[in-house]
Structures are given as structure tokens and as C-alpha cells.
């Protein structure tokens, strides 16, 4: 059971570089989410999507962009990476509006 | 006041002990409540949903008190494998779609021999 799959698992970038994190889910969920987790701050929502072709801002969207061209995929982009974006990034999906979310195993990103 | 507040712990308990965590939330419009478990350097995993009537899953019992705006998690007969961080999660169904979950920063549990 794949569930939610994130790639890559680890990445080190230099300040100013760009990259895209991929999230794929095989559960046919409508809703998908990107979070970041930093020590002592809990999980914070970056962007989310309520269906194919839609995206919306979460609580910490600055410096990130997202796309949901296919229902099963949700991409998170960093156009110009900054050290403040060093974090663990989690993707999640859910099938109903107020239901629980299922998480991928995370991407550890370090910006030097 | 934080939207979701938890005691960070750590709670160090002997194997076999009963331990309880509380979590308070600030928004009375909150609709759904969950407990997640997160092991070190792993993703959060759903432990259980919390229903108004309270619910039990084996050694785990969750309670919701809407009047006082808190939820609780009780773990009986603690096992070494219960050692993890427990996240209190509250959903607010916001206008415009989405399903915004607000996560507490977690309570760390260490079960010892």
C-alpha cells in the first residue's frame, strides 16, 4: 500500500537554487496539503488543494508555489531557496472535507 | 493564546502505567478532533479520531469536552512501543474550502522499563 509518496527524501541546496518536491497519492483523495515542520513549532500549512487544478494559500505560503495538474500529484516549488526554508516537509491527503489526513514520510531539506 | 495547546512533556512513565494527556483549543467552532502519533524523524500517523461521545480503541481512550474546549488521550498499560510524540489536532472547516488542521506542538511520552 503506497498511500502518500514523497520524493526526494533528502536534499541539500545552496541559497538561491530552485527545486520541486513531488507528492503522489494513490487513494483518489480530493484534498492535498503541504506542511513544514520545525522544532518547537508544530506542523504549519504552506499550501493546499481541494481538487485537480485548484490551489490555495495556507498560513506560511511565502517563498513557495504549488501546482495540482493531476489529481494524484501535488508539487511544491521553491523558486529561490533561502536558509529559513530548511525544514522537514510533509505532504498529506484526505478524502473528505473534515476528515483526517494521511501523511507521506517527509522530505528533509537543508538550505546552505 | 495558541489555537491548540499541549503540555510538551516529556512524560516519563514506567511500563504498565496509565498516562493521560490533555489538549486545549481556542476556537469554539472547531468541528473535528484527532490524536496523531509521531515517532522520531517519521511522519505523523493517525492514532484515533475523537468523537463527542468519547471513544476507545484497545488501550487508548479519547474524550472531548466541548464546553471546556479540551480533548484528552488516556493510555492504559503503557508499552515501550508507545514511546512517541502525541499530537493533538483540531479541524476548523474554513470558508473557501480546504480542511485546515491545526496541530499542537505535541506531547512527548517516554515509557521506561
Amino acid at each position: 500500500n503506497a498511500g502518500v509518496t514523497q520524493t526526494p527524501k533528502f536534499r541539500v541546496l545552496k541559497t538561491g537554487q530552485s527545486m520541486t518536491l513531488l507528492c503522489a497519492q494513490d487513494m483518489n483523495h480530493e484534498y492535498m496539503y503541504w506542511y513544514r515542520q520545525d522544532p518547537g513549532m508544530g506542523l504549519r500549512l504552506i499550501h493546499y488543494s481541494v481538487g485537480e487544478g485548484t490551489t490555495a494559500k495556507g498560513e506560511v505560503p511565502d517563498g513557495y508555489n504549488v501546482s495540482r495538474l493531476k489529481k494524484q500529484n501535488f508539487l511544491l516549488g521553491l523558486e529561490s531557496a533561502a536558509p529559513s526554508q530548511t525544514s522537514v516537509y510533509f505532504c498529506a491527503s484526505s478524502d473528505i472535507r473534515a476528515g483526517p489526513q494521511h501523511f507521506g514520510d517527509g522530505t528533509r531539506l537543508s538550505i546552505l | 493564546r495558541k489555537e491548540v495547546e499541549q503540555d510538551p512533556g516529556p512524560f516519563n512513565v514506567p511500563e504498565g502505567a496509565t498516562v493521560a494527556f490533555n489538549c486545549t483549543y481556542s476556537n469554539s467552532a472547531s468541528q473535528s478532533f484527532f490524536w496523531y502519533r509521531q515517532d522520531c524523524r517519521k511522519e505523523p500517523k493517525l492514532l484515533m479520531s475523537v468523537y463527542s461521545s468519547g471513544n476507545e480503541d484497545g488501550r487508548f481512550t479519547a474524550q472531548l469536552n466541548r464546553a471546556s474546549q479540551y480533548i484528552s488521550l488516556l493510555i492504559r498499560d503503557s508499552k515501550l512501543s508507545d514511546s512517541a510524540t502525541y499530537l493533538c489536532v483540531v479541524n476548523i472547516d474554513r470558508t473557501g474550502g480546504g480542511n485546515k488542521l491545526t496541530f499542537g506542538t505535541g506531547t512527548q511520552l517516554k515509557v521506561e522499563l
Side-chain angles (χ1 to χ4, degrees):
Chain A
N1 294 334
V4 180
T5 303
Q6 292 183 232
T7 53
K9 298 288 187 284
F10 305 92
R11 188 73 183 266
V12 178
L13 293 178
K14 293 181 179 178
T15 298
Q17 286 185 314
S18 63
M19 79 161 295
T20 300
L21 281 64
L22 172 64
C23 176
Q25 53 97 1
D26 61 2
M27 299 175 283
N28 202 35
H29 286 174
E30 287 292 338
Y31 304 95
M32 296 187 74
Y33 311 84
W34 275 107
Y35 293 89
R36 61 179 288 173
Q37 187 174 36
D38 302 291
M41 300 193 71
L43 281 140
R44 292 182 292 168
L45 183 64
I46 305 172
H47 286 280
Y48 64 95
S49 168
V50 301
E52 181 179 315
T54 75
T55 63
K57 294 180 180 180
E59 61 180 299
V60 288
D62 293 342
Y64 306 95
N65 56 74
V66 287
S67 64
R68 183 108 180 261
L69 298 180
K70 294 182 179 180
K71 186 177 184 179
Q72 64 267 34
N73 295 336
F74 196 28
L75 278 62
L76 177 71
L78 285 73
E79 290 185 347
S80 179
S84 60
Q85 294 177 305
T86 293
S87 188
V88 180
Y89 291 85
F90 289 104
C91 176
S93 70
S94 65
D95 58 346
I96 59 175
R97 192 178 175 94
Q101 296 174 9
H102 303 271
F103 285 80
D105 55 7
T107 295
R108 298 185 181 281
L109 184 61
S110 293
I111 316 295
L112 304 179
Chain B
R1 182 181 174 187
K2 289 183 180 179
E3 287 188 300
V4 178
E5 285 200 79
Q6 295 182 251
D7 183 339
F11 283 61
N12 298 319
V13 302
E15 202 174 15
T18 295
V19 61
F21 307 136
N22 284 334
C23 164
T24 58
Y25 61 95
S26 62
N27 194 320
S28 59
S30 298
Q31 299 160 329
S32 305
F33 308 88
F34 310 98
W35 283 102
Y36 277 72
R37 170 194 170 127
Q38 187 171 25
D39 293 286
C40 187
R41 301 177 70 84
K42 298 286 189 181
E43 75 275 21
K45 292 185 178 178
L46 179 67
L47 180 64
M48 57 198 306
S49 301
V50 186
Y51 304 119
S52 295
S53 56
N55 48 301
E56 187 174 310
D57 183 2
R59 298 181 293 109
F60 299 85
T61 300
Q63 297 279 351
L64 167 63
N65 185 317
R66 284 190 183 273
S68 300
Q69 294 183 205
Y70 76 83
I71 66 174
S72 64
L73 177 68
L74 181 76
I75 305 175
R76 290 181 299 278
D77 189 23
S78 301
K79 311 292 184 190
L80 293 175
S81 58
D82 293 334
S83 297
T85 297
Y86 290 84
L87 306 177
C88 171
V89 185
V90 175
N91 167 273
I92 302 171
D93 196 12
R94 298 180 190 273
T95 303
N99 174 23
K100 183 180 184 297
L101 294 185
T102 300
F103 289 79
T105 52
T107 298
Q108 189 178 7
L109 172 65
K110 296 180 180 179
V111 182
E112 303 164 331
L113 286 172

